[in-house]
Amino acid sequence: MAVRLDLARAGRYSHDRSDAGPLHPLCSSSMSTHLVPEIVSAKSAPLLGFWYPAVPGDTLSRGVMKGLQMAGLPILLCRDREGKLAAMRDLCPHRGMPLSFGRFDGERVECPYHGWQFDMRGRCCRIPALPEGAPLQTEKVGIASYPVEEADGMIWIYLPDERGTAIPLPPVPRMPLPSEPKQSFHISLTYTCTPDDGVIGLIDPVHGPYVHSWWRSHERMQEKTKIYEPIPNGFRMTSHRPAKNSGPFHWLERIYGGPLTTTIDFVLPNQRVELMQCGRAWLANRLMATPVSEMECRIDFSAYWRGLHWIPFSNRFFRALAKQFLSQDERAMKHLAVGLRHKPPSMFVGDADMPARWYYKLKAAYLASIQTGQPMDHPLKERVTLRWRS
């Protein structure tokens, strides 16, 4: 049964999304016969009540602050002289001046308009215009602050929903690394697309032959069979061998004694995590689509690996390869945005679009659990086999 929710409660955007029409039941056999299209709106509000990646940790030095926007919220991120992090609303409560235009001495942030100063907890410490003996207690003036932590080389900010900051806080998402990585890198690009379209792009399994044709052309398309299973707040493409048209991966099997297996997880609100293992070597990567504004989405790609140390300049090579993939996706999303100006609905057809359906249903189920106080009704009840060509 379709679920209709007011998504404006979950974010700063005014657009609502409803699942139009019944959703097909899930089963343990192939779903390729489900060809009746499902139509959904292209826009909805981002989920709050989760940790979101802000910036790579090595881009914020001690004694430095940085202004950014996440889910339409202006946020000021600071690292003090001792390395402690803080995140607060990037607006002075006096006149609304962004504090990121001001100064940070490693302990206090100063507004560039009237010199109001705030500590790392967002409390006002000084209002220069007040005369001696003024009755106003400056410490009672403050700015909204956000929980912030650093993990896996990223700085994370918790964006609370309408219920406020969760107590206790959920743990920061961590990468499921088999061992300490030997090498890693991070790439960040801003896409012109809605947050939902950014997420769907992460989990779409069939755009490769057309968006990344240099890697796998449409002439080499093969039928694929993948098994999915439910995990908390998401779903998993279970461990599988590379397809016949994945030549480079079969090459790795010969080098490291195989077999090479891949597991791919999607977890709300925005994460796709892939772990490839082959003998003693492994490669893990995480793609995250973080909402910036209604039509902007920041894509963060982080890669960690152990092995392939004999490839000259391997870090530069893999970074360049990843950036080429992401730049091609960025161009596709930029072109998609031209069509989305006309506010068309999205059509989901067949097994290849099933992960996108699950994403919308997971999102709706999560919001329903918040509104009702009941446990989340996961849309995927058991293992499911999907088939498509790519």
Side-chain angles (χ1 to χ4, degrees), residues 42 122 165 265 351 367:
T165 299
D265 291 356
D351 284 13
L367 290 170

Side-chain angles (χ1 to χ4, degrees), residues 250-264:
H250 292 290
W251 174 70
L252 283 175
E253 288 187 318
R254 292 193 292 270
I255 294 175
Y256 285 100
L260 186 148
T261 59
T262 302
T263 302
I264 301 175

Side-chain angles (χ1 to χ4, degrees), residues 10-87:
R12 297 291 185 251
Y13 308 153
S14 60
H15 297 276
D16 295 341
R17 185 198 70 81
S18 62
D19 296 325
L23 301 178
H24 297 301
L26 304 178
C27 60
S28 59
S29 61
S30 171
M31 307 182 74
S32 58
T33 57
H34 294 159
L35 298 179
V36 178
E38 177 188 340
I39 311 296
V40 300
S41 168
K43 292 182 180 180
S44 65
L47 289 178
L48 300 179
F50 289 94
W51 290 96
Y52 279 96
V55 296
D58 60 8
T59 65
L60 191 71
S61 303
R62 295 189 179 195
V64 173
M65 66 177 180
K66 179 181 180 65
L68 61 152
Q69 183 169 295
M70 298 170 66
L73 301 171
I75 295 176
L76 181 68
L77 184 61
C78 307
R79 193 191 292 272
D80 69 13
R81 294 169 182 168
E82 281 70 46
K84 183 181 177 181
L85 293 166

Side-chain angles (χ1 to χ4, degrees), residues 213-365:
S213 57
W214 63 276
W215 175 258
R216 181 178 296 162
S217 67
H218 65 87
E219 290 88 356
R220 298 174 56 209
M221 291 175 64
Q222 302 279 334
E223 183 168 318
K224 311 289 177 62
T225 300
K226 307 296 182 185
I227 298 174
Y228 286 81
E229 63 185 11
I231 58 176
N233 280 349
F235 50 84
R236 170 175 295 155
M237 183 190 293
T238 60
S239 180
H240 58 277
R241 297 283 302 279
K244 293 179 180 179
N245 55 351
S246 299
F249 299 134
H250 292 290
W251 174 70
L252 283 175
E253 288 187 318
R254 292 193 292 270
I255 294 175
Y256 285 100
L260 186 148
T261 59
T262 302
T263 302
I264 301 175
D265 291 356
F266 172 76
V267 182
L268 288 178
N270 66 338
Q271 295 189 56
R272 176 193 184 274
V273 178
E274 181 175 10
L275 176 61
M276 302 174 61
Q277 296 179 280
C278 185
R280 63 185 184 278
W282 58 265
L283 167 66
N285 66 74
R286 175 166 57 192
L287 272 164
M288 296 176 285
T290 298
V292 176
S293 63
E294 185 178 332
M295 279 301 296
E296 278 191 320
C297 186
R298 194 186 73 244
I299 302 297
D300 288 292
F301 177 84
S302 299
Y304 314 81
W305 70 94
R306 192 179 186 94
L308 303 175
H309 58 278
W310 40 268
I311 297 179
F313 309 107
S314 58
N315 196 297
R316 292 183 183 180
F317 173 75
F318 289 129
R319 179 188 290 270
L321 189 65
K323 192 164 186 178
Q324 184 164 355
F325 270 99
L326 295 174
S327 296
Q328 290 170 337
D329 286 324
E330 178 188 21
R331 183 170 60 249
M333 288 297 170
K334 184 177 181 180
H335 294 168
L336 176 63
V338 175
L340 294 182
R341 293 173 188 165
H342 304 284
K343 301 180 180 180
S346 295
M347 180 181 294
F348 297 150
V349 181
D351 284 13
D353 285 338
M354 209 61 199
R357 293 186 184 186
W358 290 336
Y359 163 67
Y360 278 118
K361 293 178 73 176
L362 277 166
K363 192 173 178 181

Side-chain angles (χ1 to χ4, degrees), residues 45-273:
L47 289 178
L48 300 179
F50 289 94
W51 290 96
Y52 279 96
V55 296
D58 60 8
T59 65
L60 191 71
S61 303
R62 295 189 179 195
V64 173
M65 66 177 180
K66 179 181 180 65
L68 61 152
Q69 183 169 295
M70 298 170 66
L73 301 171
I75 295 176
L76 181 68
L77 184 61
C78 307
R79 193 191 292 272
D80 69 13
R81 294 169 182 168
E82 281 70 46
K84 183 181 177 181
L85 293 166
M88 63 191 79
R89 186 171 173 83
D90 189 18
L91 293 176
C92 180
H94 182 212
R95 299 285 179 85
M97 171 67 75
L99 295 169
S100 53
F101 292 134
R103 294 185 298 174
F104 179 51
D105 64 3
E107 293 182 0
R108 295 183 178 184
V109 177
E110 183 180 88
C111 176
Y113 199 10
H114 295 95
W116 288 30
Q117 294 182 356
F118 302 87
D119 64 17
M120 292 283 285
R121 296 172 62 181
R123 297 176 304 183
C124 185
C125 303
R126 183 169 184 262
I127 300 178
L130 289 179
E132 288 290 334
L136 177 65
Q137 294 177 292
T138 59
E139 66 272 12
K140 291 187 176 181
V141 178
I143 310 169
S145 61
Y146 304 93
V148 55
E149 291 189 24
E150 190 167 2
D152 290 332
M154 291 292 296
I155 296 175
W156 300 77
I157 296 177
Y158 180 83
L159 300 182
D161 58 23
E162 59 190 26
R163 300 170 296 177
T165 299
I167 301 177
L169 278 170
V172 174
R174 300 301 300 266
M175 285 293 291
L177 304 181
S179 59
E180 189 69 21
K182 286 292 186 180
Q183 297 191 70
S184 64
F185 66 82
H186 175 84
I187 297 174
S188 180
L189 294 174
T190 299
Y191 288 8
T192 304
C193 66
T194 69
D196 281 340
D197 286 314
V199 170
I200 289 175
L202 303 184
I203 57 179
D204 177 77
V206 295
H207 69 274
Y210 303 96
V211 178
H212 312 294
S213 57
W214 63 276
W215 175 258
R216 181 178 296 162
S217 67
H218 65 87
E219 290 88 356
R220 298 174 56 209
M221 291 175 64
Q222 302 279 334
E223 183 168 318
K224 311 289 177 62
T225 300
K226 307 296 182 185
I227 298 174
Y228 286 81
E229 63 185 11
I231 58 176
N233 280 349
F235 50 84
R236 170 175 295 155
M237 183 190 293
T238 60
S239 180
H240 58 277
R241 297 283 302 279
K244 293 179 180 179
N245 55 351
S246 299
F249 299 134
H250 292 290
W251 174 70
L252 283 175
E253 288 187 318
R254 292 193 292 270
I255 294 175
Y256 285 100
L260 186 148
T261 59
T262 302
T263 302
I264 301 175
D265 291 356
F266 172 76
V267 182
L268 288 178
N270 66 338
Q271 295 189 56
R272 176 193 184 274
V273 178

